[in-house]
Amino acid sequence: MELVSFEVNGKPLEIAVEKNWTLLKVLREQLDLTGAKPGCETGDCGACKVLLDGKAVNSCTTNIMKVQGRSVITIEGLSKGTELHPIQSSFIEAGAVQCGYCTPGMIITAKSLLDENPHPTEQEIRDSLDNNLCRCTGYVKIVDAIQLAAKKMEES
Ligand code: FES
Ligand code: FES
C-alpha cells in the first residue's frame, strides 16, 4: 500500500491505497462517496465524472496516484447542506433527470463548463457533453437545464 494525500470536497485527507486503484474506486469504496457512478469504466460514458482541480475528469480512468496533492470535488460537494447548487436545482426544474444515472456526471461537466464559460451557446453546451452519455432524455432537457443554470448563476 502507498499513502496518498489530497483534498475531497474541501477536506484534506491521507489514505492508504494500492498503486493501481482508480479515483472512482477510492471515492466509492474507501470514502463512501457514491455520487460518481460506475458506468463503462473505460472513459466513454462520463457517469463517473468529478472535478479535479476544477476540471471535469473521468474518475474511472484517473489513477489514484495522480491525485496526490490535488483537489477533488464530487457531486456531494456541490450542495451546501440541504441547499442545492443552482445547476442541481436547474436539472430538476427542467425535467432533465429521468433514471438519474448520468445526472451526477452531467452536472459535474456543466459546473466545469460554466466556471470556464458562464455564457455558453447551445452548441458549446452540446460540445461539452460529448463525453457524457444519457440513455433516457435525448439531451434536449439537459441542454435546457444548463442554460437555466447559467441564467441563475448570472443572477445570483
Ligand atoms: Fe467512467 Fe464511464 S464509468 S467514463
Ligand atoms: Fe437516465 Fe440520463 S437520465 S441515463
Side-chain angles (χ1 to χ4, degrees):
M1 301 285 270
E2 301 273 333
L3 281 179
V4 62
S5 313
F6 57 105
E7 210 177 87
V8 177
N9 297 333
K11 289 191 193 130
L13 55 84
E14 183 175 64
I15 53 168
V17 297
E18 295 289 352
K19 274 184 176 174
N20 64 348
W21 284 358
T22 65
L23 174 57
L24 179 63
K25 177 182 172 70
V26 170
L27 290 172
R28 291 182 60 86
E29 297 176 20
Q30 313 297 306
L31 302 177
D32 208 21
L33 291 167
T34 55
K37 300 289 180 238
C40 63
E41 299 197 51
T42 53
D44 296 309
C45 77
C48 64
K49 280 199 196 288
V50 298
L51 297 171
L52 183 59
D53 292 338
K55 300 269 181 245
V57 298
N58 291 321
S59 60
C60 72
T61 52
T62 301
N63 181 276
I64 190 61
M65 302 311 293
K66 295 223 167 92
V67 180
Q68 170 64 38
R70 301 176 75 181
S71 160
V72 176
I73 307 277
T74 68
I75 190 71
E76 290 90 343
L78 289 195
S79 53
K80 289 189 191 131
T82 56
E83 189 191 329
L84 293 179
H85 187 281
I87 303 174
Q88 294 174 303
S89 57
S90 296
F91 266 66
I92 295 168
E93 285 161 34
V97 183
Q98 288 189 22
C99 81
Y101 204 81
C102 70
T103 308
M106 292 286 181
I107 290 174
I108 290 289
T109 294
K111 173 84 168 77
S112 181
L113 170 71
L114 295 178
D115 284 348
E116 202 174 287
N117 178 4
H119 306 290
T121 63
E122 182 181 336
Q123 191 56 51
E124 286 170 335
I125 293 172
R126 287 183 177 278
D127 290 348
S128 76
L129 297 174
D130 70 352
N131 184 234
N132 288 80
L133 299 183
C134 177
R135 294 186 170 189
C136 308
T137 65
Y139 300 93
V140 172
K141 289 183 175 177
I142 290 172
V143 173
D144 289 348
I146 297 173
Q147 285 172 326
L148 177 61
K151 215 164 145 193
K152 282 193 200 177
M153 288 164 76
E154 187 181 13
E155 287 164 1
S156 67

